[in-house]
Amino acid sequence: MKKLLFIAAAFVISSAAFSQTKAEESIKFSGSAHDFGKIKQGVPVTYDFQFTNIADKPVVVESASASCGCTTPKWPQTPIMAGKKDLINVGYNAANTGAFSKSITVKVAGVDAPLTLTISGEVLAADAYDAWVKEEATKAAAEKNTKSKSKEKSKSGK
């Protein structure tokens, strides 16, 4: 019986010693995904993923690696103090047309499981992008015109 109790106690102690902190317990991102929407081919875009150190000690971001060479993450090279905010800047080279979804794996020191950030969007050829921008501007102008006519009707009806 003592032997069984000793083995059980050893198991509990060793499992506690080997448990790892989750990255989500060290840093918290304001959002883990960003959709660029429609972007113009040949025009690189960037986005800043903001995070906060929610641990009670400094945190080091060891690396941020992208799923392909068209995505370039930049991360802080110095420790982030407890309660402080910082950024991981992600650039995307919009060389090829079509929809895209890319992941960025963020490794925090002392944590086994990394965090994943995602960027997505649709790259349009220059002429298609220009036509889309013109169409959106026309829609916005029509909507604004409809709203102002609606306001005029409600004012004159009083």
Side-chain angles (χ1 to χ4, degrees):
M1 183 67 171
K2 284 184 180 181
K3 191 174 188 178
L4 184 60
L5 185 60
F6 176 74
I7 291 172
F11 176 75
V12 170
I13 291 170
S14 65
S15 66
F18 288 109
S19 67
Q20 291 290 318
T21 305
K22 294 179 183 175
E24 294 87 359
E25 295 172 359
S26 298
I27 62 175
K28 180 174 177 64
F29 281 89
S30 57
S32 63
H34 177 71
D35 185 353
F36 286 106
K38 296 183 188 307
I39 57 177
K40 190 174 192 176
Q41 183 179 18
V43 179
V45 291
T46 62
Y47 182 75
D48 289 331
F49 287 96
Q50 184 176 10
F51 66 90
T52 304
N53 174 355
I54 58 172
D56 56 359
K57 59 186 177 193
V59 169
V60 174
V61 176
E62 288 182 344
S63 65
S65 55
S67 59
C68 76
C70 58
T71 306
T72 52
K74 294 177 187 170
W75 63 94
Q77 301 298 310
T78 58
I80 297 89
M81 297 298 144
K84 297 297 180 186
K85 295 181 180 193
D86 214 320
L87 304 170
I88 293 182
N89 176 273
V90 178
Y92 178 72
N93 179 5
N96 298 318
T97 58
F100 68 92
S101 179
K102 305 297 178 184
S103 61
I104 301 89
T105 303
V106 179
K107 175 72 174 88
V108 177
V111 177
D112 281 341
L115 288 163
T116 301
L117 305 173
T118 306
I119 59 169
S120 60
E122 183 181 2
V123 180
L124 300 177
D127 55 344
Y129 180 81
D130 293 342
W132 175 78
V133 168
K134 186 176 180 180
E135 182 182 319
E136 290 299 305
T138 302
K139 285 181 189 176
E143 186 177 310
K144 184 178 179 183
N145 190 21
T146 302
K147 284 183 181 178
S148 69
K149 284 183 180 179
S150 176
K151 282 183 181 179
E152 286 176 19
K153 282 183 181 181
S154 66
K155 283 182 181 178
S156 63
K158 288 185 181 178

PDB file of all heavy atoms in Angstrom, residues 3 9 19 34 38 48 50 54 57 63 85 89 104 106 136 142 144 146 152 154:
ATOM      1  N   LYS A   3       3.845   1.506  -1.131  1.00  0.00           N
ATOM      2  CA  LYS A   3       4.502   1.586  -2.433  1.00  0.00           C
ATOM      3  C   LYS A   3       3.559   2.219  -3.463  1.00  0.00           C
ATOM      4  O   LYS A   3       3.965   3.067  -4.249  1.00  0.00           O
ATOM      5  CB  LYS A   3       4.930   0.192  -2.876  1.00  0.00           C
ATOM      6  CG  LYS A   3       5.836   0.184  -4.070  1.00  0.00           C
ATOM      7  CD  LYS A   3       6.314  -1.236  -4.337  1.00  0.00           C
ATOM      8  CE  LYS A   3       7.369  -1.227  -5.413  1.00  0.00           C
ATOM      9  NZ  LYS A   3       7.888  -2.547  -5.683  1.00  0.00           N
ATOM     10  N   ALA A   9       2.030   9.553  -5.602  1.00  0.00           N
ATOM     11  CA  ALA A   9       2.562  10.869  -5.225  1.00  0.00           C
ATOM     12  C   ALA A   9       3.660  11.296  -6.195  1.00  0.00           C
ATOM     13  O   ALA A   9       3.734  12.458  -6.605  1.00  0.00           O
ATOM     14  CB  ALA A   9       3.084  10.836  -3.796  1.00  0.00           C
ATOM     15  N   SER A  19       4.586  20.137 -16.535  1.00  0.00           N
ATOM     16  CA  SER A  19       3.537  20.905 -17.212  1.00  0.00           C
ATOM     17  C   SER A  19       4.120  22.224 -17.704  1.00  0.00           C
ATOM     18  O   SER A  19       4.910  22.851 -17.032  1.00  0.00           O
ATOM     19  CB  SER A  19       2.355  21.147 -16.286  1.00  0.00           C
ATOM     20  OG  SER A  19       2.720  21.992 -15.234  1.00  0.00           O
ATOM     21  N   HIS A  34      -6.300  38.748 -39.411  1.00  0.00           N
ATOM     22  CA  HIS A  34      -6.570  40.010 -40.102  1.00  0.00           C
ATOM     23  C   HIS A  34      -6.875  39.718 -41.564  1.00  0.00           C
ATOM     24  O   HIS A  34      -6.142  38.993 -42.239  1.00  0.00           O
ATOM     25  CB  HIS A  34      -5.385  40.964 -40.016  1.00  0.00           C
ATOM     26  CG  HIS A  34      -5.616  42.228 -40.778  1.00  0.00           C
ATOM     27  ND1 HIS A  34      -6.510  43.182 -40.358  1.00  0.00           N
ATOM     28  CD2 HIS A  34      -5.118  42.677 -41.950  1.00  0.00           C
ATOM     29  CE1 HIS A  34      -6.529  44.179 -41.232  1.00  0.00           C
ATOM     30  NE2 HIS A  34      -5.697  43.894 -42.207  1.00  0.00           N
ATOM     31  N   LYS A  38      -9.653  43.245 -50.381  1.00  0.00           N
ATOM     32  CA  LYS A  38      -9.098  43.265 -51.735  1.00  0.00           C
ATOM     33  C   LYS A  38      -7.895  44.200 -51.759  1.00  0.00           C
ATOM     34  O   LYS A  38      -7.977  45.327 -51.281  1.00  0.00           O
ATOM     35  CB  LYS A  38     -10.157  43.717 -52.738  1.00  0.00           C
ATOM     36  CG  LYS A  38     -11.330  42.745 -52.818  1.00  0.00           C
ATOM     37  CD  LYS A  38     -12.328  43.171 -53.855  1.00  0.00           C
ATOM     38  CE  LYS A  38     -13.592  42.357 -53.856  1.00  0.00           C
ATOM     39  NZ  LYS A  38     -13.463  40.944 -53.946  1.00  0.00           N
ATOM     40  N   ASP A  48      -0.106  45.227 -38.123  1.00  0.00           N
ATOM     41  CA  ASP A  48       0.489  45.071 -36.801  1.00  0.00           C
ATOM     42  C   ASP A  48      -0.455  44.299 -35.892  1.00  0.00           C
ATOM     43  O   ASP A  48      -1.562  44.772 -35.609  1.00  0.00           O
ATOM     44  CB  ASP A  48       0.776  46.440 -36.161  1.00  0.00           C
ATOM     45  CG  ASP A  48       1.923  47.170 -36.843  1.00  0.00           C
ATOM     46  OD1 ASP A  48       2.813  46.499 -37.388  1.00  0.00           O
ATOM     47  OD2 ASP A  48       1.921  48.418 -36.823  1.00  0.00           O
ATOM     48  N   GLN A  50      -1.133  43.512 -32.323  1.00  0.00           N
ATOM     49  CA  GLN A  50      -0.752  44.032 -31.014  1.00  0.00           C
ATOM     50  C   GLN A  50      -0.994  42.974 -29.946  1.00  0.00           C
ATOM     51  O   GLN A  50      -1.989  42.258 -29.978  1.00  0.00           O
ATOM     52  CB  GLN A  50      -1.552  45.286 -30.667  1.00  0.00           C
ATOM     53  CG  GLN A  50      -1.111  45.919 -29.362  1.00  0.00           C
ATOM     54  CD  GLN A  50      -1.856  47.215 -29.079  1.00  0.00           C
ATOM     55  OE1 GLN A  50      -2.813  47.572 -29.736  1.00  0.00           O
ATOM     56  NE2 GLN A  50      -1.392  47.916 -28.068  1.00  0.00           N
ATOM     57  N   ILE A  54       0.751  39.419 -20.354  1.00  0.00           N
ATOM     58  CA  ILE A  54      -0.160  39.255 -19.223  1.00  0.00           C
ATOM     59  C   ILE A  54       0.462  38.402 -18.113  1.00  0.00           C
ATOM     60  O   ILE A  54      -0.199  38.105 -17.118  1.00  0.00           O
ATOM     61  CB  ILE A  54      -1.516  38.660 -19.669  1.00  0.00           C
ATOM     62  CG1 ILE A  54      -1.327  37.312 -20.349  1.00  0.00           C
ATOM     63  CG2 ILE A  54      -2.251  39.643 -20.563  1.00  0.00           C
ATOM     64  CD1 ILE A  54      -2.625  36.578 -20.641  1.00  0.00           C
ATOM     65  N   LYS A  57       6.028  38.317 -15.274  1.00  0.00           N
ATOM     66  CA  LYS A  57       7.468  38.457 -15.504  1.00  0.00           C
ATOM     67  C   LYS A  57       7.696  38.813 -16.962  1.00  0.00           C
ATOM     68  O   LYS A  57       6.785  38.677 -17.793  1.00  0.00           O
ATOM     69  CB  LYS A  57       8.185  37.156 -15.142  1.00  0.00           C
ATOM     70  CG  LYS A  57       7.700  35.963 -15.925  1.00  0.00           C
ATOM     71  CD  LYS A  57       8.332  34.683 -15.435  1.00  0.00           C
ATOM     72  CE  LYS A  57       7.728  33.516 -16.223  1.00  0.00           C
ATOM     73  NZ  LYS A  57       8.023  32.259 -15.656  1.00  0.00           N
ATOM     74  N   SER A  63      10.617  33.742 -31.753  1.00  0.00           N
ATOM     75  CA  SER A  63      10.548  33.803 -33.208  1.00  0.00           C
ATOM     76  C   SER A  63       9.106  33.983 -33.667  1.00  0.00           C
ATOM     77  O   SER A  63       8.166  33.741 -32.921  1.00  0.00           O
ATOM     78  CB  SER A  63      11.112  32.519 -33.829  1.00  0.00           C
ATOM     79  OG  SER A  63      10.298  31.412 -33.482  1.00  0.00           O
ATOM     80  N   LYS A  85       2.789  46.442 -23.730  1.00  0.00           N
ATOM     81  CA  LYS A  85       2.300  46.044 -25.047  1.00  0.00           C
ATOM     82  C   LYS A  85       3.424  46.117 -26.067  1.00  0.00           C
ATOM     83  O   LYS A  85       4.368  46.884 -25.900  1.00  0.00           O
ATOM     84  CB  LYS A  85       1.157  46.963 -25.496  1.00  0.00           C
ATOM     85  CG  LYS A  85      -0.062  46.854 -24.625  1.00  0.00           C
ATOM     86  CD  LYS A  85      -1.174  47.748 -25.100  1.00  0.00           C
ATOM     87  CE  LYS A  85      -2.366  47.566 -24.166  1.00  0.00           C
ATOM     88  NZ  LYS A  85      -3.566  48.135 -24.688  1.00  0.00           N
ATOM     89  N   ASN A  89       4.781  42.792 -36.502  1.00  0.00           N
ATOM     90  CA  ASN A  89       4.434  43.388 -37.791  1.00  0.00           C
ATOM     91  C   ASN A  89       4.543  42.302 -38.856  1.00  0.00           C
ATOM     92  O   ASN A  89       5.559  41.624 -38.950  1.00  0.00           O
ATOM     93  CB  ASN A  89       5.388  44.547 -38.099  1.00  0.00           C
ATOM     94  CG  ASN A  89       5.128  45.126 -39.471  1.00  0.00           C
ATOM     95  OD1 ASN A  89       5.659  44.649 -40.459  1.00  0.00           O
ATOM     96  ND2 ASN A  89       4.310  46.158 -39.516  1.00  0.00           N
ATOM     97  N   ILE A 104       1.251  32.669 -39.412  1.00  0.00           N
ATOM     98  CA  ILE A 104       2.491  33.077 -38.772  1.00  0.00           C
ATOM     99  C   ILE A 104       2.529  32.373 -37.420  1.00  0.00           C
ATOM    100  O   ILE A 104       1.609  32.519 -36.614  1.00  0.00           O
ATOM    101  CB  ILE A 104       2.567  34.617 -38.567  1.00  0.00           C
ATOM    102  CG1 ILE A 104       2.457  35.338 -39.914  1.00  0.00           C
ATOM    103  CG2 ILE A 104       3.838  35.002 -37.848  1.00  0.00           C
ATOM    104  CD1 ILE A 104       1.065  35.655 -40.341  1.00  0.00           C
ATOM    105  N   VAL A 106       4.077  31.951 -33.827  1.00  0.00           N
ATOM    106  CA  VAL A 106       4.793  32.765 -32.845  1.00  0.00           C
ATOM    107  C   VAL A 106       5.244  31.867 -31.697  1.00  0.00           C
ATOM    108  O   VAL A 106       4.426  31.221 -31.048  1.00  0.00           O
ATOM    109  CB  VAL A 106       3.892  33.905 -32.303  1.00  0.00           C
ATOM    110  CG1 VAL A 106       4.629  34.728 -31.262  1.00  0.00           C
ATOM    111  CG2 VAL A 106       3.402  34.777 -33.445  1.00  0.00           C
ATOM    112  N   GLU A 136     -16.848  50.673 -55.932  1.00  0.00           N
ATOM    113  CA  GLU A 136     -17.113  50.940 -54.510  1.00  0.00           C
ATOM    114  C   GLU A 136     -17.390  52.423 -54.266  1.00  0.00           C
ATOM    115  O   GLU A 136     -18.255  52.775 -53.467  1.00  0.00           O
ATOM    116  CB  GLU A 136     -15.936  50.471 -53.646  1.00  0.00           C
ATOM    117  CG  GLU A 136     -15.794  48.965 -53.570  1.00  0.00           C
ATOM    118  CD  GLU A 136     -16.995  48.274 -52.956  1.00  0.00           C
ATOM    119  OE1 GLU A 136     -17.375  48.626 -51.824  1.00  0.00           O
ATOM    120  OE2 GLU A 136     -17.572  47.394 -53.625  1.00  0.00           O
ATOM    121  N   ALA A 142     -23.838  56.712 -54.107  1.00  0.00           N
ATOM    122  CA  ALA A 142     -25.279  56.448 -54.225  1.00  0.00           C
ATOM    123  C   ALA A 142     -25.906  56.292 -52.839  1.00  0.00           C
ATOM    124  O   ALA A 142     -27.001  56.799 -52.584  1.00  0.00           O
ATOM    125  CB  ALA A 142     -25.518  55.198 -55.062  1.00  0.00           C
ATOM    126  N   LYS A 144     -24.800  57.601 -50.032  1.00  0.00           N
ATOM    127  CA  LYS A 144     -24.802  58.916 -49.387  1.00  0.00           C
ATOM    128  C   LYS A 144     -25.953  59.766 -49.928  1.00  0.00           C
ATOM    129  O   LYS A 144     -26.635  60.444 -49.175  1.00  0.00           O
ATOM    130  CB  LYS A 144     -23.461  59.613 -49.634  1.00  0.00           C
ATOM    131  CG  LYS A 144     -23.320  60.934 -48.944  1.00  0.00           C
ATOM    132  CD  LYS A 144     -21.951  61.531 -49.195  1.00  0.00           C
ATOM    133  CE  LYS A 144     -21.813  62.865 -48.521  1.00  0.00           C
ATOM    134  NZ  LYS A 144     -20.517  63.493 -48.799  1.00  0.00           N
ATOM    135  N   THR A 146     -28.779  58.660 -51.182  1.00  0.00           N
ATOM    136  CA  THR A 146     -30.028  58.101 -50.665  1.00  0.00           C
ATOM    137  C   THR A 146     -30.272  58.562 -49.233  1.00  0.00           C
ATOM    138  O   THR A 146     -31.390  58.931 -48.870  1.00  0.00           O
ATOM    139  CB  THR A 146     -29.993  56.558 -50.725  1.00  0.00           C
ATOM    140  OG1 THR A 146     -29.779  56.168 -52.080  1.00  0.00           O
ATOM    141  CG2 THR A 146     -31.272  55.946 -50.217  1.00  0.00           C
ATOM    142  N   GLU A 152     -33.846  64.782 -45.990  1.00  0.00           N
ATOM    143  CA  GLU A 152     -34.628  65.913 -46.488  1.00  0.00           C
ATOM    144  C   GLU A 152     -36.125  65.634 -46.366  1.00  0.00           C
ATOM    145  O   GLU A 152     -36.903  66.510 -45.997  1.00  0.00           O
ATOM    146  CB  GLU A 152     -34.256  66.208 -47.955  1.00  0.00           C
ATOM    147  CG  GLU A 152     -32.916  66.858 -48.116  1.00  0.00           C
ATOM    148  CD  GLU A 152     -32.552  67.053 -49.585  1.00  0.00           C
ATOM    149  OE1 GLU A 152     -33.453  67.025 -50.454  1.00  0.00           O
ATOM    150  OE2 GLU A 152     -31.345  67.236 -49.855  1.00  0.00           O
ATOM    151  N   SER A 154     -37.604  63.645 -44.211  1.00  0.00           N
ATOM    152  CA  SER A 154     -38.030  63.649 -42.814  1.00  0.00           C
ATOM    153  C   SER A 154     -38.074  65.069 -42.272  1.00  0.00           C
ATOM    154  O   SER A 154     -38.913  65.389 -41.429  1.00  0.00           O
ATOM    155  CB  SER A 154     -37.096  62.772 -41.970  1.00  0.00           C
ATOM    156  OG  SER A 154     -35.794  63.318 -41.908  1.00  0.00           O
TER     157      SER A 154
END
